[in-house]
Amino acid sequence: FSYRLEGFETNDAEWKELPGCQNVTRTECDFSSAITEYYDRHHVRIRAERREEVSPWSSIFEMTPYFIAQIGPPGIELQSTNGVIKIKVSPPEANQVRKMWIAHVRFKYNLVIWENSSNAEFRSQSIFPTDIIDGLAPETTYCLKVQATLPLDFQEGLFSPTRCVKTTRKAVNDLFCATNVSVLALNMKFHLHWKNQYKQHVIYNVQYLLGYLKKLHDDYSMKWQNVPGCENITETQCNFSSIITSTAGFYYLRVQAVNEYKKSCLSNDVKVDPLIANEIGPPGVKLDISDVLLHIQITPPGGSESEVMREHYGLSYRVLYWKNSSNNEEEIKMKEIKQTIGTVSDLTPSTLYCVKVQAYSEAYNKSSHFSKEECIKTPGDKVLPLIILATFVTALIAVLLVATPVVFALYQAYNKIKYVFFPSCQPPLNIEGFGEQLFSSPYMSTTEEPIENCCIIETVITEEVNQIDFKDYKHSKQSSRDSGNYSNDDDTSGSKVSEETLEKEIV
């Protein structure tokens, strides 16, 4: 036998002899010691020899050890206690120094178990490296075997040797254990529920374990932790949303019951995969309406702060809408949208439209209940209001056209009347009171000044003075009085006396 290694880190193309496979008489040979790289390609050839005769080399056999190797059987340890079977599985190559499969966490284990009887029924299930097999009949012998697999590489290993064990009866003091443990989750709010079968006075502690710890081959029994807010409670439910910090992994929960005698009992574990266990709640809906469109605004399940619902589920929405009228034959229409805003067109005026929305996730095959119905009425037909508006505007323009000249004419007439009867300027003070004091002078003081009454006495008066001369004189006297040089407006009586005296003297 000779071999040649073709690796990524070596250029050695020379053939080498396989240690332990020289001059063998059997038709097989173990050359495991020559395999140092499990992921590199190896070339192997063989030839026969008899005394001095040598055959030609065989065709080259090419292989990669990792892909042609068979996964060996795992090791198992069993313990029957309290009506269950505790099992611990060791990975293949556990007792070997050099290991081909280093990442033991990649192994998945399949268990096959059956009653040791003639009419046995085989039951298969997936288990963790450290697990509990329950749901078994008491005081019954069960046989089992375990197989290790690598699902991602499509490799299945050999089954372990068959082992058998007899179950025991469950202890009576475990009757106060929490039963029917279940998870209810809505919009990423997680609640654990259980029952107290015998209604005893019991205190509960809810515990959780990170899921990946069960994949390890180490003992995880001491790694359970109490859920905050779910310690020493008497209720049969608990909100454990605070521990769900990631949706990538999964969790295990159990309930520890402690009775009045300080004895404790653990319930069965419950696996919680957040995105699978969670249910989608109905979304919120708000309606608005414009001239020709019905606007639908959707609030994602869990509210606007629930980013997990939007990011991981890839939510879409089914929108149902219909006319809410007395006609039962009105068709319910549906449209699917991915956004949180949708519109509906072709609306009928003065009609009540109703809408309800359902959220769903295609990736997880989940859907919510429909939201509550929301209704809104479309505005009436706007043709009549437009006609009324146009009529009003036309009438207003006509009134303005007619009223403008009328108002202008009235304004002009008002100005004329005001100018004639109520002039804005007053007459000068020197002509004010004309008619009351005809001969008052604006240049004389208001105080009365004494003046002398004068008269002319002529010693010789002829008889030839006739009436005409007297009239002329009178006229002259009047003229002198108008001139205001020798007159006093305030002493009219004195003027009359002088005139009478003059006439007497003339006679």
Side-chain angles (χ1 to χ4, degrees):
F1 285 85
S2 64
Y3 78 99
R4 182 175 61 186
L5 176 63
E6 182 183 346
F8 293 102
E9 298 179 357
T10 178
N11 295 324
D12 189 2
E14 297 180 359
W15 289 93
K16 297 179 180 180
E17 292 182 352
L18 282 174
C21 295
Q22 304 298 316
N23 300 320
V24 296
T25 59
R26 300 183 306 273
T27 57
E28 62 181 21
C29 175
D30 184 3
F31 61 99
S32 301
S33 60
I35 304 299
T36 57
E37 301 294 337
Y38 296 117
Y39 294 92
D40 292 342
R41 285 184 296 181
H42 291 69
H43 297 162
V44 180
R45 67 182 181 178
I46 186 174
R47 69 180 178 181
E49 297 180 356
R50 187 175 64 176
R51 295 189 181 100
E52 296 180 356
E53 296 179 347
V54 179
S55 71
W57 288 103
S58 67
S59 59
I60 298 174
F61 173 68
E62 183 180 295
M63 60 89 179
T64 301
Y66 181 83
F67 294 114
I68 68 169
Q70 177 71 51
I71 300 175
I76 58 174
E77 297 178 11
L78 301 178
Q79 181 184 4
S80 178
T81 177
N82 200 21
V84 300
I85 297 176
K86 293 182 177 181
I87 184 171
K88 184 176 182 180
V89 181
S90 300
E93 304 181 307
N95 54 356
Q96 296 182 16
V97 178
R98 296 178 64 244
K99 296 177 174 59
M100 181 179 296
W101 294 282
I102 301 175
H104 292 160
V105 293
R106 295 182 58 202
F107 280 116
K108 304 291 183 182
Y109 297 99
N110 294 328
L111 169 73
V112 178
I113 186 171
W114 65 94
E115 291 185 17
N116 190 11
S117 61
S118 56
N119 57 349
E121 294 184 359
F122 291 86
R123 188 179 77 181
S124 180
Q125 67 183 73
S126 177
I127 62 172
F128 290 104
T130 302
D131 213 333
I132 294 176
I133 306 170
D134 54 7
L136 305 176
E139 298 182 345
T140 304
T141 300
Y142 286 89
C143 296
L144 52 85
K145 59 183 180 180
V146 180
Q147 175 194 42
T149 65
L150 290 173
L152 297 178
D153 296 333
F154 304 100
Q155 293 182 342
E156 294 183 353
L158 301 175
F159 277 96
S160 67
T162 301
R163 296 279 304 275
C164 296
V165 66
K166 186 177 181 178
T167 59
T168 61
R169 286 190 176 275
K170 195 171 185 179
V172 178
N173 61 349
D174 288 349
L175 293 177
F176 63 89
C177 284
T179 59
N180 297 335
V181 182
S182 60
V183 175
L184 296 178
L186 182 66
N187 294 338
M188 303 307 291
K189 304 296 182 182
F190 296 87
H191 293 80
L192 190 69
H193 294 257
W194 61 91
K195 290 184 178 179
N196 184 350
Q197 186 175 359
Y198 290 93
K199 305 298 181 183
Q200 297 182 12
H201 179 70
V202 180
I203 294 176
Y204 300 103
N205 294 302
V206 179
Q207 301 175 341
Y208 75 98
L209 179 73
L210 299 178
Y212 79 91
L213 294 175
K214 278 198 172 188
K215 293 183 178 181
L216 304 178
H217 291 81
D218 301 329
D219 184 11
Y220 59 83
S221 60
M222 302 302 294
K223 297 182 179 179
W224 288 86
Q225 302 180 53
N226 290 332
V227 176
C230 299
E231 302 168 295
N232 300 323
I233 60 175
T234 58
E235 296 86 359
T236 57
Q237 62 178 355
C238 165
N239 185 344
F240 63 95
S241 304
S242 60
I243 71 168
I244 307 297
T245 57
S246 173
T247 58
F250 53 94
Y251 304 80
Y252 286 92
L253 286 101
R254 68 184 185 185
V255 180
Q256 179 192 43
V258 181
N259 64 6
E260 55 188 345
Y261 302 105
K262 303 302 179 181
K263 294 182 178 181
S264 65
C265 177
L266 295 173
S267 69
N268 296 333
D269 301 349
V270 176
K271 181 181 178 180
V272 180
D273 190 333
L275 294 178
I276 294 177
N278 180 61
E279 296 296 333
I280 303 175
V285 180
K286 184 179 180 180
L287 302 181
D288 192 10
I289 200 161
S290 62
D291 294 340
V292 293
L293 292 177
L294 173 62
H295 300 274
I296 304 170
Q297 184 175 353
I298 302 172
T299 302
S304 57
E305 70 281 359
S306 181
E307 297 181 0
V308 176
M309 301 292 291
R310 298 191 300 272
E311 293 179 359
H312 296 278
Y313 285 109
L315 294 176
S316 300
Y317 303 95
R318 295 186 183 98
V319 180
L320 299 184
Y321 63 97
W322 66 94
K323 297 179 182 179
N324 191 0
S325 61
S326 58
N327 185 4
N328 296 328
E329 297 181 358
E330 290 291 347
E331 179 184 2
I332 297 179
K333 298 180 181 180
M334 183 188 75
K335 65 184 306 183
E336 296 185 356
I337 59 176
K338 292 185 177 294
Q339 299 81 12
T340 55
I341 296 178
T343 57
V344 175
S345 57
D346 300 330
L347 304 179
T348 303
S350 301
T351 303
L352 187 65
Y353 282 86
C354 292
V355 177
K356 62 181 180 179
V357 181
Q358 179 189 46
Y360 67 95
S361 171
E362 293 181 353
Y364 287 86
N365 194 25
K366 290 178 177 289
S367 59
S368 72
H369 294 292
F370 277 95
S371 65
K372 294 182 179 180
E373 296 180 5
E374 296 290 336
C375 300
I376 191 170
K377 189 174 183 180
T378 57
D381 193 351
K382 292 190 175 183
V383 175
L384 182 59
L386 289 176
I387 294 175
I388 296 174
L389 179 61
T391 303
F392 174 76
V393 172
T394 303
L396 181 61
I397 294 174
V399 169
L400 291 176
L401 293 176
V402 173
T404 300
V406 173
V407 171
F408 181 76
L410 292 176
Y411 179 74
Q412 293 295 329
Y414 167 76
N415 286 339
K416 294 294 184 180
I417 295 173
K418 183 178 179 182
Y419 178 78
V420 173
F421 294 99
F422 306 98
S424 59
C425 58
Q426 297 295 328
L429 295 176
N430 56 348
I431 61 174
E432 186 176 359
F434 179 77
E436 296 180 359
Q437 296 178 353
L438 184 60
F439 299 105
S440 63
S441 172
Y443 300 104
M444 296 183 65
S445 174
T446 54
T447 56
E448 182 178 353
E449 296 181 0
I451 58 174
E452 293 183 356
N453 293 326
C454 299
C455 61
I456 299 174
I457 302 175
E458 297 181 1
T459 53
V460 180
I461 299 174
T462 58
E463 295 179 1
E464 287 86 58
V465 177
N466 53 21
Q467 188 66 27
I468 297 174
D469 294 334
F470 176 78
K471 289 181 181 181
D472 292 340
Y473 174 78
K474 186 178 181 180
H475 180 72
S476 177
K477 184 66 177 181
Q478 183 68 36
S479 299
S480 298
R481 189 176 295 165
D482 290 340
S483 64
N485 291 329
Y486 302 98
S487 62
N488 189 350
D489 292 337
D490 296 331
D491 195 2
T492 55
S493 59
S495 300
K496 293 179 180 181
V497 173
S498 301
E499 187 177 350
E500 291 177 357
T501 306
L502 180 59
E503 290 179 355
K504 292 179 178 182
E505 291 178 355
I506 294 172
V507 176

